[in-house]
Amino acid sequence: MIIYNATIITWESHNRILKNYGLRITDDKVTEIEESQLLLQKYPEEEKVDAESKLLIPGLICAHTHFYGLFSRGMAIHGDPPADFVEILEKLWWPLDQSLLEEDIYYSALVSIIDAIKHGTTTVFDHHASPNFITGSLDIIEKAVLDTGIRASLCYEVTDRGGVEKAEEGIAENIRMIKKTSAYPKGSTVTAIFGLHAGLTVSDETLRNSQNIPGGYGYHIHVAEHQSDEFHSKNRYGNRVVDRLNDLGITGNNSIFVHGVHLDQKELEIIRDTGTWLTHQPRSNMNNAVGMADVEGALRFGIPVCLGNDGFSFAMWDEWRTCYLAHKLHKKDPRAMPGDLVATMGAINNGKMASNFFKDKIGAIEVGAKADLILVDYKPITEMTAGNLPWHIIFGFRDSMVTHTIVDGKVLMRDKEVLGVNEEEISKRAKEISREVWKRYERQF
Ligand SMILES: [Zn+2]
């Protein structure tokens, strides 16, 4: 397939903007990048997509999300509003995840993925919980992933809050999925990682039992999201969270630590020196009022911080904008978190992280990279260069400008129509089953 008449944003480490360019996709990869006219002359018989002068850029990547949180949308939290992060877990997320059964898991994933495709997000790292339907839950999510065609990393969040048996069931579910996906051919769109909820809900014994993993797989875990995680670790184990996780073998360049709002300098050093990935989710941090990580400091310290959405919408440029704005307010300094730093996280670092976990070049347009691409109908009204692009994105791009989404060389959305799914039917069924989820949620109080 040839896409021509585009302005290509490459998002290589040294970003370039190529005007009136095109590219050729062969199977799942970008195989040529060339001036439009030359490509058209060279491949007259090939299937073509006229980009109509739109921007052709690598698909967006979400470094941490929760499909399962979807049905919280519009749901009334039982009782008085939660007063802190722990109450948010106790009153909202834990009773909600306990309300999810087979079909709810499928539809929460399916609706979330359609949202991602519409917003040009092509790779996601999901973190799943459904304590009353653990075994097989990752197969259900995988089905939604394969039914739609997105690229996804899956895991089940192991926790001790439901007792030893459920913790063991969660461990088994992760190991099963890791074994299953590791047998897939190289370049597959689905991969798995070992999920853990957070330091404050997993014992040392559970962490030790979580290490029976084949072949170098890492962990996806919330870390120091709220002070309670650090307090709990210090009180119970005499150690800070990251020190404890490092002692138990949870760090490393195949592990993802999420949030890190309350880390100290030594913990940042452990994360950097072990090559552990750190993700930042400012919309979630603001919503939960847990504080703001010193992300600029972590980046300056040499940690390639990435951006996730923590279950918020897959409009990832909203996460970029929030990041840009939130740190300025937090530091009371308009120089804080400049646009290029946001782009470093949201484009470059997310691309590096996805490439690491999917073992293929993802997040950049170059020959040999995976053909995960979007077309964006943005017509700049001022000069747009590789240098000022981040500010065009933050102040000018809207997610509604995404017209085409391509993953692994396959067109998933064409002219804003998501292909191969009946959105109306899916929305109707999701609404029906969400009523039952809400009832199950309420019955727990
Ligand atoms: Zn999360």
Side-chain angles (χ1 to χ4, degrees):
M1 179 166 64
I2 305 287
I3 305 175
Y4 67 102
N5 193 14
T7 296
I8 296 180
I9 293 169
T10 64
W11 280 134
E12 301 155 297
S13 296
H14 180 69
N15 188 29
R16 292 181 298 157
I17 295 182
L18 308 170
K19 288 181 181 156
N20 201 12
Y21 256 65
L23 55 74
R24 184 177 186 221
I25 298 171
T26 311
D27 300 324
D28 56 335
K29 298 258 170 76
V30 173
T31 47
E32 275 186 68
I33 302 166
E34 194 48 90
E35 286 178 25
S36 283
Q37 227 31 53
L38 290 175
L39 270 181
L40 291 172
Q41 282 164 11
K42 206 168 164 186
Y43 301 102
E45 304 301 319
E46 201 137 327
E47 181 193 346
K48 293 178 188 60
V49 174
D50 182 356
E52 297 167 333
S53 303
K54 292 173 201 161
L55 307 181
L56 177 59
I57 71 177
L60 291 154
I61 295 163
C62 175
H64 171 74
T65 194
H66 302 280
F67 293 154
Y68 81 82
L70 184 85
F71 293 133
S72 66
R73 193 177 298 169
M75 190 179 84
I77 297 177
H78 185 89
D80 292 333
D84 61 23
F85 176 66
V86 175
E87 283 197 10
I88 292 171
L89 292 176
E90 290 169 349
K91 289 184 165 184
L92 172 58
W93 298 115
W94 293 349
L96 178 69
D97 69 24
Q98 294 188 82
S99 307
L100 299 174
L101 299 177
E102 185 170 1
E103 200 181 2
D104 316 317
I105 297 167
Y106 179 72
Y107 273 87
S108 58
L110 193 62
V111 174
S112 298
I113 295 168
I114 292 170
D115 181 58
I117 293 169
K118 284 181 154 181
H119 291 118
T121 299
T122 53
T123 297
V124 301
F125 289 79
D126 185 53
H127 198 266
H128 176 68
S130 54
N132 289 318
F133 197 102
I134 299 174
T135 304
S137 59
L138 296 182
D139 292 323
I140 295 167
I141 297 173
E142 185 189 31
K143 184 177 179 333
V145 169
L146 295 174
D147 285 349
T148 47
I150 203 171
R151 192 179 303 284
S153 162
L154 307 181
C155 71
Y156 185 85
E157 61 164 64
V158 169
T159 170
D160 286 318
R161 71 181 150 97
V164 176
E165 268 181 34
K166 289 202 190 251
E168 283 175 355
E169 198 182 345
I171 290 169
E173 181 65 0
N174 279 304
I175 293 176
R176 194 182 63 73
M177 200 61 183
I178 287 171
K179 282 185 178 167
K180 181 182 172 185
T181 55
S182 61
Y184 291 170
K186 185 182 176 297
S188 296
T189 50
V190 182
T191 189
I193 185 171
F194 198 105
L196 295 162
H197 172 243
L200 81 164
T201 68
V202 282
S203 66
D204 280 1
E205 195 189 355
T206 297
L207 289 175
R208 279 192 210 96
N209 291 339
S210 300
Q211 294 184 356
N212 181 23
I213 315 177
Y217 280 80
Y219 302 85
H220 186 169
I221 179 171
H222 298 102
V223 168
E225 180 172 2
H226 183 250
Q227 281 157 333
S228 56
D229 200 17
E230 292 287 6
F231 288 161
H232 176 272
S233 186
K234 196 85 180 159
N235 293 343
R236 178 77 59 92
Y237 306 101
N239 229 343
R240 290 184 68 88
V241 177
V242 173
D243 294 72
R244 175 177 170 237
L245 295 176
N246 190 42
D247 289 347
L248 288 161
I250 306 300
T251 49
N253 70 349
N254 285 321
S255 285
I256 303 165
F257 282 10
V258 180
H259 294 304
V261 176
H262 298 279
L263 301 174
D264 75 1
Q265 196 61 32
K266 180 67 188 170
E267 292 177 295
L268 285 171
E269 194 175 302
I270 294 169
I271 288 172
R272 182 189 65 183
D273 293 349
T274 54
T276 307
W277 298 91
L278 181 64
T279 77
H280 178 44
Q281 292 71 216
R283 284 185 292 182
S284 164
N285 295 158
M286 291 168 77
N287 188 45
N288 291 331
V290 293
M292 272 282 144
D294 181 10
V295 174
E296 275 186 86
L299 287 161
R300 266 162 55 79
F301 197 53
I303 297 170
V305 184
C306 300
L307 276 185
N309 73 355
D310 209 14
F312 272 71
S313 83
F314 282 94
M316 288 305 292
W317 291 320
D318 281 355
E319 200 75 44
W320 289 40
R321 265 185 285 280
T322 304
C323 186
Y324 181 83
L325 299 171
H327 287 269
K328 288 174 173 54
L329 179 64
H330 180 64
K331 292 199 169 171
K332 298 187 173 59
D333 183 350
R335 294 165 297 183
M337 194 54 77
D340 51 345
L341 215 51
V342 178
T344 295
M345 287 190 277
I348 306 298
N349 293 347
N350 276 14
K352 285 181 186 165
M353 180 172 147
S355 301
N356 180 68
F357 285 95
F358 289 91
K359 306 199 184 328
D360 248 311
K361 185 70 190 178
I362 292 169
I365 296 181
E366 57 186 53
V367 171
K370 282 284 193 183
D372 291 5
L373 306 160
I374 59 176
L375 281 175
V376 183
D377 191 9
Y378 177 68
K379 303 286 188 297
I381 48 93
T382 55
E383 194 65 36
M384 187 176 79
T385 65
N388 71 11
L389 174 67
W391 287 266
H392 273 273
I393 294 176
I394 289 163
F395 292 104
F397 280 30
R398 295 288 173 270
D399 306 277
S400 57
M401 294 173 179
V402 178
T403 61
H404 291 62
T405 301
I406 297 170
V407 179
D408 216 39
K410 295 177 193 70
V411 180
L412 306 187
M413 180 169 78
R414 181 184 291 127
D415 289 321
K416 297 200 169 190
E417 186 193 346
V418 182
L419 306 177
V421 295
N422 185 334
E423 270 192 76
E424 207 174 315
E425 286 295 312
I426 291 167
S427 300
K428 193 168 152 236
R429 185 65 191 144
K431 200 169 174 184
E432 282 164 9
I433 61 175
S434 71
R435 291 191 188 104
E436 299 306 312
V437 172
W438 286 11
K439 281 182 199 160
R440 274 181 238 124
Y441 165 85
E442 269 301 325
R443 280 203 286 269
Q444 293 172 66
F445 297 94

Coordinates of all heavy atoms in Angstrom, one line a residue, residues 82-92 94 200 226 228-229:
P82 N -15.1 10.1 48.4 CA -13.8 9.7 49.0 C -13.0 10.9 49.4 O -12.9 11.9 48.6 CB -13.2 8.9 47.9 CG -14.2 8.6 46.9 CD -15.3 9.6 47.1
A83 N -12.3 10.8 50.5 CA -11.5 12.0 51.0 C -10.1 11.9 50.7 O -9.3 12.8 50.8 CB -11.7 12.1 52.5
D84 N -9.6 10.7 50.3 CA -8.2 10.6 49.9 C -8.0 9.4 48.9 O -9.0 8.7 48.6 CB -7.2 10.4 51.1 CG -7.5 9.2 51.9 OD1 -8.1 8.2 51.4 OD2 -7.2 9.2 53.1
F85 N -6.8 9.1 48.5 CA -6.6 8.1 47.5 C -7.0 6.7 48.0 O -7.6 6.0 47.2 CB -5.1 8.1 47.2 CG -4.7 7.0 46.2 CD1 -5.1 7.0 44.9 CD2 -3.9 6.0 46.6 CE1 -4.8 6.0 44.0 CE2 -3.5 4.9 45.7 CZ -4.0 5.0 44.4
V86 N -6.7 6.4 49.2 CA -7.1 5.0 49.7 C -8.6 4.9 49.7 O -9.1 3.8 49.4 CB -6.5 4.8 51.1 CG1 -7.0 3.5 51.7 CG2 -4.9 4.8 51.1
E87 N -9.3 5.9 50.1 CA -10.8 5.9 50.0 C -11.3 5.7 48.6 O -12.3 5.1 48.4 CB -11.4 7.1 50.7 CG -11.3 7.0 52.2 CD -12.3 8.0 52.9 OE1 -13.1 8.6 52.2 OE2 -12.2 8.1 54.1
I88 N -10.6 6.3 47.7 CA -11.0 6.2 46.3 C -10.8 4.7 45.8 O -11.7 4.2 45.2 CB -10.1 7.1 45.3 CG1 -10.4 8.6 45.6 CG2 -10.3 6.7 43.9 CD1 -9.5 9.5 44.9
L89 N -9.8 4.1 46.3 CA -9.6 2.6 46.0 C -10.7 1.8 46.7 O -11.4 1.0 46.0 CB -8.3 2.1 46.5 CG -7.0 2.6 45.8 CD1 -5.8 2.1 46.5 CD2 -7.0 2.2 44.3
E90 N -11.0 2.1 47.9 CA -12.0 1.3 48.7 C -13.4 1.6 48.3 O -14.2 0.7 48.3 CB -11.8 1.7 50.2 CG -10.5 1.1 50.8 CD -10.2 1.6 52.2 OE1 -10.9 2.6 52.6 OE2 -9.3 1.1 52.8
K91 N -13.7 2.8 47.9 CA -15.1 3.1 47.5 C -15.4 3.0 46.1 O -16.6 2.8 45.7 CB -15.5 4.5 48.0 CG -15.5 4.7 49.5 CD -16.0 6.1 49.8 CE -16.4 6.2 51.3 NZ -16.9 7.6 51.6
L92 N -14.4 3.1 45.2 CA -14.7 3.1 43.8 C -14.0 1.9 43.1 O -14.7 1.0 42.7 CB -14.2 4.4 43.1 CG -14.2 4.4 41.6 CD1 -15.6 4.2 41.0 CD2 -13.6 5.8 41.1
W94 N -12.1 -0.8 43.9 CA -12.1 -2.2 44.3 C -13.5 -2.8 44.2 O -13.7 -3.9 43.7 CB -11.5 -2.3 45.7 CG -10.0 -2.1 45.7 CD1 -9.3 -2.0 44.6 CD2 -9.1 -1.9 46.8 NE1 -7.9 -1.7 44.9 CE2 -7.8 -1.7 46.3 CE3 -9.3 -1.9 48.2 CZ2 -6.7 -1.5 47.1 CZ3 -8.2 -1.7 49.0 CH2 -6.9 -1.5 48.4
L200 N 1.5 -1.7 48.3 CA 0.7 -1.7 49.5 C -0.3 -2.9 49.5 O -0.9 -3.1 50.6 CB 0.1 -0.4 49.8 CG -1.2 0.1 49.1 CD1 -1.8 1.3 49.8 CD2 -1.0 0.4 47.7
H226 N 0.6 7.3 45.9 CA 0.2 8.1 47.1 C 1.2 7.9 48.2 O 1.8 6.8 48.2 CB -1.2 7.7 47.4 CG -1.8 8.5 48.5 ND1 -2.1 8.0 49.8 CD2 -2.3 9.8 48.6 CE1 -2.6 8.9 50.5 NE2 -2.8 10.0 49.8
S228 N 0.6 6.8 51.0 CA 0.2 5.6 51.7 C 1.1 4.4 51.3 O 1.4 3.6 52.1 CB -1.3 5.3 51.6 OG -1.6 5.2 50.2
D229 N 1.5 4.4 50.0 CA 2.3 3.3 49.5 C 3.7 3.3 50.2 O 4.2 2.3 50.6 CB 2.4 3.4 48.0 CG 2.8 2.1 47.3 OD1 2.7 1.1 47.9 OD2 3.3 2.2 46.1

